[in-house]
Amino acid sequence: MPAFLRLINGLALLAWPFLVWLAVTHPQWRGVIAVLALLFGWRIWQLRHAQGAMGRVMLSLALVGTLLCLASMLLRSQHLLLWYPVVVNGLMLLLFGTSLWSPMPLVERLARLREADLPARAVRYTRRVTQVWCGFFIFNGSVALATCLLNDLSLWTLWNGCISYLLMGTLMGGEWLLRQRMRNKA
């Protein structure tokens, strides 16, 4: 059952913009907010003993998601749900950005999980990739914020449910291709 719940939770997070759009535009679907609150609550339970910066960020995101869902239901203001992508980008920026002041930035830590002994060139590269991700979170979070402030649900859904995912996938794919090219040259 936990694997099934993890799958449902992951799908719900990916579909967040569409589920919010559904709940805001179709009153008969507002119950989906309660389901999302329960999924976030389950995630909090799963992460309650989380350690490390990434674990704390994931726990924080689950807490924020739960609070936004509950506040939305209690205040009958589904527009509060629009702020979740802003929080996600802010916390990810905090996670990646603060790691730049540590001896080992986040992307280097992730790279060392696969290859413990990274050459100096790869260490510099991972620092640069961490900086690029920080730039992405600043840009994406700023646009997500603008879509909230403009209060245009169609634009918000388009950006947060489609364009931002495409940009993130393009960044991941482009970085992977560049890394493969650099490895082949070495």
Side-chain angles (χ1 to χ4, degrees), residues 95-117:
L95 177 66
F96 279 71
T98 56
S99 78
L100 288 169
W101 280 276
S102 71
M104 193 180 307
L106 183 62
V107 175
E108 181 182 345
R109 279 184 250 157
L110 294 172
R112 287 187 186 277
L113 293 175
R114 296 192 87 183
E115 189 177 332
D117 190 30

Side-chain angles (χ1 to χ4, degrees), residues 138-152:
I138 290 168
F139 172 74
N140 194 45
S142 297
V143 176
L145 174 63
T147 63
C148 288
L149 297 175
L150 290 172
N151 203 23
D152 180 339

Side-chain angles (χ1 to χ4, degrees), residues 75-93:
L75 300 174
R76 295 182 186 347
S77 176
Q78 283 69 36
H79 289 278
L80 293 172
L81 301 171
L82 304 180
W83 292 90
Y84 187 71
V86 177
V87 174
V88 169
N89 281 281
L91 285 175
M92 294 307 284
L93 173 61

Side-chain angles (χ1 to χ4, degrees), residues 104-132:
M104 193 180 307
L106 183 62
V107 175
E108 181 182 345
R109 279 184 250 157
L110 294 172
R112 287 187 186 277
L113 293 175
R114 296 192 87 183
E115 189 177 332
D117 190 30
L118 288 177
R121 179 177 176 214
V123 170
R124 285 190 305 275
Y125 175 77
T126 58
R127 178 169 291 279
R128 179 64 64 195
V129 171
T130 304
Q131 293 167 341
V132 168

Side-chain angles (χ1 to χ4, degrees), residues 18-69:
F18 301 106
L19 295 172
V20 169
W21 173 84
L22 191 66
V24 172
T25 59
H26 297 80
Q28 67 272 26
W29 284 95
R30 295 229 168 103
V32 77
I33 299 168
V35 173
L36 290 170
L38 288 172
L39 286 172
F40 277 122
W42 179 79
R43 187 133 173 89
I44 291 169
W45 178 257
Q46 292 298 107
L47 294 167
R48 68 190 181 281
H49 301 299
Q51 296 180 357
M54 183 65 96
R56 287 189 298 273
V57 166
M58 294 299 118
L59 179 60
S60 298
L61 289 174
L63 285 167
V64 168
T66 304
L67 291 174
L68 286 174
C69 288

